[in-house]
Amino acid sequence: MSIIKLYLEPKIKDYWINPKKYYSMQSLDKFLHYFFPNANNYEITEQQNDAKIAVWDIQQDNESLMNTSQLNMMICVENCNHHKNYKHYNKFGNYGNSKMNIYFYNHITNVELASNYIAIPMIHVFMNHYKNHFNVIKPTIMVPFEQKKFCLLMNRSKLNPHVEMFRNILSHMGTIDDISMFDRQLGSSSCYHSPELLNLLQEYKFVLCIENSYSDGYITEKIFNCLYANTIPLYMGSTKILDYINKDRIISLLDSPQNVLVKIINLDEYSYNKLIHHSAIVSQYNDENYQNKLAKFIENWKPSSNPLVYYINLDRRQDRSTEFLQKIKLTSLANSIIKRFSAVDGICLQDNLARRNLDRDPIILLLAHLRNKTNSSMRPGVLGCFLSHYFLLKEIVENQSLDNDQIVYIFEDDVFYSKDGFENELLEIQNFKQPWDMLFVGGRWNANFVPSGDYEYFEKATEHLYKRLQTSPKYKQKLGHSLNLDRGAMGYCVQKNSIPKILEQLFDFLNNNPFQAIDAIFVRLDINAFDYFPHLFYSPLHYNKSDIQTTTSKPSKTIKICYLDFWQEYSDRPLSFQDIQDPNSWSSKPQNKTLITIDQGVGIFHRDYLENLLEEKVEIVHPQNADVIICSQFGNSRLQYPNTKKICLVYESDFSVLNEPNTIYFSSHITADPRQFYLPLTALYYGFSIYETLQTPRNFSIKDIKERQHCCSIISNFCGEFRNEFLFKLMDVISVDNYGKLYQNVGDAFIKSTCWYDPNLSKIIKQYKFIICMENIQKEGYHSEKIMHGFLNYVVPIYWGDPNIVKVFNPKSFINVNELGIKLAIQKIAQLCQNDNEYLTMLNEPIIHDNSILKNYNETKFNKIIDLYLQDRSFQ
């Protein structure tokens, strides 16, 4: 086998090979034997460009230093899931750096092998090294049993509170020495089984080894040092430890303290030596053949020539995401890196932008100026589509991990395919050498579309690639009048280095023209644009399932609306009309960007949504001039206008507002009152298509849940005595991570936002099997959004509150504490934590049952209610 050259970035050398740092291996040879199969076939080069593999540290987040012409390897022995100070992980997550190919992680338990990367659990590395070296690596002294001291505390860091707890427990049996007492003796000796360290451990019967943090995959060198040193580790850490190390070779502190003490007391010299000489590795241990997989990955790797693929998909349309991924697997693009881009939702635009910190982007200010200048209405779907493409292009150009000549395919999730495969076609595009900025691979109408008679507006470049003559006056005259020239934006590709030019011209276009749909703008830009004929993708004419609103009829009437008495998340009072008219009166308040868009409405009561629903113009006016006031139960300003129609949103347990004159109500209350309509918060913000997502069949497997921890809660106030009692009793049985302001026990991971649509919150919840979703009070007919925390994040909710909740959701899909009570509910949860198959049965249950009231209340009914009420017709 030929020699493979390695480049080690300075941080790697400093961390792993520096001879003066105890956490270093202090030996290049040791480093190579740990991480590289057939270590003798590797050599170090100081020139990065000469290397096939470049090795990077977890603190290296500057991806521009990494070349796609070589393999890039990341090594981290820390628990990235727990601590937040690892720069590369904070920026890219597990596998988000498209330039990274090989990962050694200490927070995963299984090999992850994809087309463009392989990830190796560090436990396999430690196990393999021990298996190959336990007969060689030994202490140089052997201390007789009767001369051994009782116990040494291995932890230098005391961040884990269990360190002191177990020190106190064990101190009743003997002296617990701290390793820091021997700093002078150890000097800078390596923590990776150096002779000095092993000799020290050999002096003790027991070594207290407590991991700094806990997760299934996080197992460090501590326990292996004990095994090399022929002493007995008292281990506290990964619950998976007995999948690797024989239970008869260690004493696990995961057992009860009483059992641990009994085991220690009963260890005479004979029993002690029996443990010491017991085989350390469990017979069923499977290293997943990781070394051969890694060696094969390195051997077969070639610099990627595959394009990058993005598809634009609304968060509320998981069904389309699934369908798109299934379809693209039938093409040669399946070998590319495929990424989902969360589309901007035009229905709840302002809130959507604010949550993503996009609301102050220059394009938003330009569009607001354009709208005021032209006094025109921008349909929410068209505007959301425009912004989705715009922000995606910005994300690509700002991604330093992509090379400047990177080709990126961009698709909308409902694109149609002219055929399967595309291998030859995509290869032709990949090898196309003429300068180009944008290349349309999709059109609007028919499969395999080609122009009919209008090739005069194109210049043929290859058999299938045609350049658009966009500077031609005839071309510009023809746009908008020729199916041969107009294009959709459902399928096109760009090069990264061309995007700044595209964005610059897009701004220039909007500064000098009325707003248009993104596809209409693209074909009017002065760029090097090409088409691939016949088109590979298309969207049928009059396609009526698009999320882009297609209403084109001109409003015949103006409806005057005022939004009143709404709430501001970080304010102690509702916003008044004066606040809305004079933004300066509240702009200096902290967190004002989280303001729900009172000036334009909220969710499906947004001005643009209502305009499309009613096909009538909506004007925002003072309440005394309003045809209808849309309000919430917060505040009383609406009562000053008793003769004005009102639509009131009620999402708290106080039902006292539900009898006001000239008012209909939307809430999550289940009631028979003809003026009150069931509208859960999820539908208010996401629209009714969220329930299509909830009805999508689930098919999770053991692999999907193996990394999950037990339970989390997010409790921010002292309300809810029952909830507090339940939490304390549950914590006596299983581990519960509390992220809210109340009972927080997860370090600095306090969650300020508890909105169920917060992506940061969602990322945390998905790490667990259960989430506590309990109301502040139990009141028949009232339930909040809490239970959706679980359902939308594929976690089983633990619910208490509305007894009627089973009329909405399948009782087999959640833990119903209303029915079970505290004792039986906790028993059920503990049972499911121990039995993955039973847990999967519940997790995969349909969320909405056949008789759910959600199936009888949908967007059509909502639209009819609003339409009839605003037009003075009966709504009962």
Side-chain angles (χ1 to χ4, degrees):
M1 182 181 288
S2 59
I3 297 296
I4 297 175
K5 292 186 177 182
L6 299 176
Y7 167 76
L8 308 181
E9 76 149 322
K11 290 181 180 179
I12 285 289
K13 289 181 179 179
D14 184 60
Y15 189 94
W16 289 103
I17 304 172
N18 191 317
K20 296 183 179 180
K21 296 186 177 179
Y22 79 92
Y23 53 75
S24 168
M25 288 187 174
Q26 302 182 358
S27 163
L28 177 61
D29 183 66
K30 184 187 294 187
F31 174 79
L32 293 176
H33 276 88
Y34 259 91
F35 294 106
F36 294 92
N38 304 311
N40 295 330
N41 296 318
Y42 294 83
E43 69 176 32
I44 304 300
T45 176
E46 298 300 320
Q47 301 300 318
Q48 181 181 347
N49 292 336
D50 293 340
K52 179 172 182 177
I53 304 176
V55 186
W56 306 94
D57 184 74
I58 191 65
Q59 298 296 358
Q60 182 57 266
D61 62 349
N62 184 358
E63 66 271 34
S64 66
L65 300 176
M66 304 166 193
N67 299 328
T68 56
S69 59
Q70 61 191 180
L71 279 163
N72 291 290
M73 174 188 289
M74 171 67 60
I75 296 178
C76 181
V77 293
E78 305 300 338
N79 190 355
C80 294
N81 276 343
H82 184 83
H83 298 294
K84 306 301 180 184
N85 55 338
Y86 305 115
K87 294 180 180 178
H88 189 276
Y89 185 82
N90 290 345
K91 185 171 183 178
F92 298 105
N94 273 338
Y95 312 118
N97 185 350
S98 61
K99 288 187 174 181
M100 196 62 62
N101 312 105
I102 302 172
Y103 299 87
F104 283 92
Y105 273 149
N106 210 5
H107 63 275
I108 62 175
T109 56
N110 292 95
V111 173
E112 297 281 347
L113 181 58
S115 60
N116 60 315
Y117 70 83
I118 184 172
I120 310 294
M122 277 302 303
I123 183 59
H124 286 340
V125 177
F126 289 132
M127 292 286 285
N128 179 71
H129 193 271
Y130 177 80
K131 182 173 64 176
N132 293 329
H133 296 87
F134 76 95
N135 281 326
V136 179
I137 300 175
K138 297 180 179 181
T140 59
I141 63 168
M142 296 301 294
V143 179
F145 177 81
E146 63 275 9
Q147 295 180 21
K148 285 181 179 287
K149 291 179 277 189
F150 175 56
C151 185
L152 176 71
L153 174 60
M154 188 78 162
N155 292 66
R156 291 183 178 275
S157 168
K158 305 302 188 292
L159 294 176
N160 190 328
H162 285 147
V163 171
E164 291 304 318
M165 183 184 83
F166 281 107
R167 186 212 292 264
N168 293 334
I169 292 173
L170 294 172
S171 64
H172 296 290
M173 302 183 64
T175 302
I176 312 294
D177 290 339
D178 195 304
I179 195 169
S180 61
M181 297 165 52
F182 305 96
D183 284 348
R184 180 173 295 181
Q185 174 183 333
L186 293 174
S188 59
S189 302
S190 171
C191 68
Y192 287 93
H193 49 78
S194 64
E196 297 84 356
L197 177 61
L198 298 188
N199 287 343
L200 174 63
L201 301 185
Q202 168 62 203
E203 296 179 18
Y204 290 84
K205 294 178 182 177
F206 306 100
V207 176
L208 188 54
C209 304
I210 301 178
E211 306 292 9
N212 293 334
S213 58
Y214 304 140
S215 67
D216 287 347
Y218 184 56
I219 301 172
T220 64
E221 80 287 346
K222 294 183 181 73
I223 191 169
F224 291 96
N225 284 327
C226 297
L227 299 178
Y228 286 123
N230 283 323
T231 186
I232 296 179
L234 306 179
Y235 180 79
M236 183 67 178
S238 169
T239 57
K240 301 286 188 181
I241 189 65
L242 298 183
D243 291 348
Y244 309 103
I245 307 300
N246 199 305
K247 63 182 178 61
D248 295 322
R249 180 59 182 86
I250 67 172
I251 294 179
S252 173
L253 300 181
L254 294 171
D255 204 347
S256 68
Q258 294 87 346
N259 290 343
V260 170
L261 294 176
V262 169
K263 288 180 181 179
I264 294 175
I265 291 171
N266 290 335
L267 275 181
D268 56 19
E269 182 175 358
Y270 171 80
S271 302
Y272 182 89
N273 289 330
K274 186 177 179 181
L275 255 67
I276 289 295
H277 294 101
H278 201 290
S279 175
I281 299 178
V282 297
S283 58
Q284 68 270 25
Y285 167 64
N286 176 17
D287 70 357
E288 303 181 84
N289 200 20
Y290 85 92
Q291 284 199 312
N292 287 338
K293 289 179 181 177
L294 178 58
K296 187 175 180 180
F297 183 88
I298 293 172
E299 181 182 355
N300 295 337
W301 179 85
K302 295 179 181 178
S304 174
S305 60
N306 289 328
L308 175 64
V309 176
Y310 273 94
Y311 68 100
I312 299 171
N313 171 249
L314 286 165
D315 291 344
R316 54 184 167 88
R317 293 309 303 267
Q318 183 188 356
D319 54 331
R320 283 194 174 168
S321 178
T322 301
E323 184 178 0
F324 177 86
L325 293 174
Q326 289 172 345
K327 284 183 177 180
I328 204 166
K329 287 180 180 178
L330 302 176
T331 76
S332 57
L333 287 172
N335 297 321
S336 303
I337 297 173
I338 301 172
K339 294 188 175 185
R340 175 185 175 274
F341 181 79
S342 177
V344 177
D345 197 334
I347 291 179
C348 44
L349 182 65
Q350 299 282 352
D351 186 47
N352 194 278
L353 293 172
R355 285 190 281 109
R356 297 162 66 168
N357 295 320
L358 301 176
D359 50 338
R360 303 307 296 174
D361 189 277
I363 196 69
I364 304 300
L365 303 179
L366 177 58
L367 290 172
H369 170 74
L370 188 62
R371 182 170 185 166
N372 294 331
K373 178 180 177 181
T374 60
N375 195 29
S376 61
S377 175
M378 300 174 182
R379 291 182 305 181
V382 174
L383 188 55
C385 179
F386 171 92
L387 291 172
S388 297
H389 285 271
Y390 168 82
F391 284 119
L392 172 52
L393 291 172
K394 280 196 69 176
E395 177 177 302
I396 294 168
V397 80
E398 292 171 358
N399 186 348
Q400 295 183 28
S401 70
L402 298 178
D403 293 331
N404 285 331
D405 59 352
Q406 175 70 55
I407 295 176
V408 184
Y409 282 78
I410 296 174
F411 296 103
E412 294 172 352
D413 59 6
D414 57 349
V415 67
F416 284 65
Y417 292 57
S418 295
K419 64 174 185 177
D420 297 337
F422 303 136
E423 182 174 355
N424 294 331
E425 292 87 343
L426 298 177
L427 189 61
E428 183 177 352
I429 294 172
Q430 196 77 13
N431 295 329
F432 185 47
K433 299 304 182 184
Q434 288 192 30
W436 62 275
D437 300 316
M438 179 175 284
L439 199 156
F440 293 96
V441 292
R444 251 189 215 148
W445 307 281
N446 304 312
N448 300 305
F449 174 83
V450 294
S452 56
D454 274 337
Y455 273 100
E456 65 181 290
Y457 301 108
F458 296 88
E459 178 180 289
K460 187 172 182 178
T462 70
E463 180 181 0
H464 298 289
L465 289 164
Y466 289 74
K467 181 178 180 180
R468 288 174 163 254
L469 304 178
Q470 294 184 222
T471 57
S472 165
K474 288 186 178 181
Y475 174 95
K476 295 179 180 179
Q477 292 173 4
K478 198 75 171 177
L479 280 173
H481 306 282
S482 170
L483 300 185
N484 291 330
L485 296 182
D486 293 349
R487 290 290 171 269
M490 81 293 295
Y492 62 95
C493 48
V494 293
Q495 296 183 93
K496 178 185 174 182
N497 53 17
S498 298
I499 294 177
K501 178 181 178 181
I502 294 172
L503 294 178
E504 180 181 0
Q505 290 205 25
L506 188 148
F507 267 86
D508 289 341
F509 180 91
L510 291 177
N511 272 317
N512 296 286
N513 299 277
F515 175 77
Q516 297 189 47
I518 188 67
D519 50 348
I521 296 176
F522 278 163
V523 296
R524 287 166 169 80
L525 301 181
D526 184 15
I527 57 177
N528 283 324
F530 286 76
D531 281 67
Y532 188 100
F533 292 132
H535 281 160
L536 309 178
F537 306 89
Y538 72 103
S539 181
L541 192 62
H542 305 309
Y543 177 56
N544 60 6
K545 294 184 179 180
S546 171
D547 285 313
I548 297 177
Q549 303 297 325
T550 53
T551 302
T552 56
S553 56
K554 187 175 180 180
S556 57
K557 176 185 174 183
T558 297
I559 293 182
K560 298 177 180 179
I561 288 178
C562 177
Y563 296 97
L564 200 61
D565 288 342
F566 274 87
W567 60 93
Q568 186 180 9
E569 287 183 17
Y570 293 93
S571 174
D572 57 359
R573 65 181 180 86
L575 292 180
S576 68
F577 182 78
Q578 285 71 28
D579 290 324
I580 298 165
Q581 294 300 301
D582 181 15
N584 291 327
S585 68
W586 48 264
S587 62
S588 61
K589 296 177 183 177
Q591 304 293 341
N592 67 75
K593 69 178 181 180
T594 65
L595 170 70
I596 294 179
T597 54
I598 311 307
D599 57 335
Q600 297 295 314
V602 57
I604 59 176
F605 287 97
H606 190 277
R607 166 186 179 165
D608 290 338
Y609 187 92
L610 293 177
E611 282 191 343
N612 280 280
L613 163 66
L614 302 170
E615 298 187 9
E616 295 172 352
K617 185 176 178 59
V618 171
E619 181 182 352
I620 308 300
V621 299
H622 190 279
Q624 67 184 15
N625 300 320
D627 298 320
V628 63
I629 293 173
I630 299 178
C631 56
S632 80
Q633 71 194 98
F634 300 96
N636 298 307
S637 301
R638 65 186 183 280
L639 301 179
Q640 301 175 31
Y641 312 95
N643 298 321
T644 305
K645 285 185 177 182
K646 301 175 195 68
I647 297 173
C648 188
L649 309 183
V650 180
Y651 289 98
E652 293 296 333
S653 57
D654 179 9
F655 299 172
S656 61
V657 300
L658 300 181
N659 58 0
E660 296 171 1
N662 295 317
T663 307
I664 63 172
Y665 301 91
F666 288 90
S667 73
S668 57
H669 307 149
I670 302 172
T671 174
D673 189 323
R675 296 189 306 150
Q676 299 173 27
F677 302 97
Y678 181 65
L679 181 68
L681 274 172
T682 42
L684 172 65
Y685 283 105
Y686 269 145
F688 294 93
S689 61
I690 188 64
Y691 297 112
E692 296 178 21
T693 299
L694 293 180
Q695 294 180 75
T696 302
R698 298 183 172 191
N699 189 29
F700 290 100
S701 66
I702 294 290
K703 181 180 178 181
D704 298 318
I705 65 169
K706 64 185 178 184
E707 299 287 343
R708 292 194 184 186
Q709 301 173 59
H710 285 163
C711 183
C712 68
S713 75
I714 305 160
I715 302 174
S716 59
N717 60 68
F718 286 97
C719 300
E721 293 181 6
F722 183 92
R723 180 175 58 197
N724 297 338
E725 178 186 359
F726 179 89
L727 173 63
F728 294 143
K729 290 184 176 179
L730 181 63
M731 291 176 69
D732 288 337
V733 178
I734 66 169
S735 60
V736 181
D737 290 343
N738 300 304
Y739 288 91
K741 290 185 290 186
L742 204 61
Y743 314 127
Q744 181 200 0
N745 63 355
V746 283
D748 58 355
F750 164 57
I751 296 179
K752 294 182 179 179
S753 170
T754 55
C755 296
W756 38 264
Y757 48 75
D758 185 327
N760 295 319
L761 176 63
S762 177
K763 183 178 179 181
I764 288 177
I765 292 175
K766 289 177 179 177
Q767 301 174 22
Y768 295 88
K769 289 185 174 180
F770 298 95
I771 179 172
I772 296 175
C773 306
M774 294 187 169
E775 310 294 357
N776 293 336
I777 65 168
Q778 186 178 59
K779 194 164 188 176
E780 188 169 353
Y782 164 72
H783 60 269
S784 67
E785 80 289 352
K786 292 181 176 66
I787 195 169
M788 297 300 289
H789 278 303
F791 288 140
L792 289 180
N793 291 295
Y794 313 113
V795 174
V796 172
I798 302 171
Y799 182 80
W800 175 86
D802 182 7
N804 289 337
I805 197 71
V806 294
K807 294 181 179 180
V808 186
F809 301 110
N810 176 9
K812 295 180 180 179
S813 66
F814 64 99
I815 301 294
N816 188 357
V817 186
N818 292 323
E819 177 184 332
L820 294 172
I822 292 179
K823 183 177 180 180
L824 291 179
I826 291 177
Q827 289 177 0
K828 180 70 172 177
I829 294 164
Q831 177 184 341
L832 294 177
C833 282
Q834 298 300 319
N835 192 318
D836 285 345
N837 289 324
E838 286 189 30
Y839 175 79
L840 280 174
T841 299
M842 177 171 283
L843 185 64
N844 287 327
E845 275 285 335
I847 295 172
I848 298 177
H849 55 74
D850 291 339
N851 298 319
S852 170
I853 61 174
L854 292 176
K855 292 196 172 184
N856 299 320
Y857 190 71
N858 50 38
E859 188 169 25
T860 301
K861 184 172 182 178
F862 168 78
N863 292 356
K864 183 177 180 181
I865 292 168
I866 298 297
D867 191 29
L868 293 178
Y869 182 59
L870 294 185
Q871 298 191 39
D872 290 322
R873 286 176 279 176
S874 172
F875 55 88
Q876 297 187 31

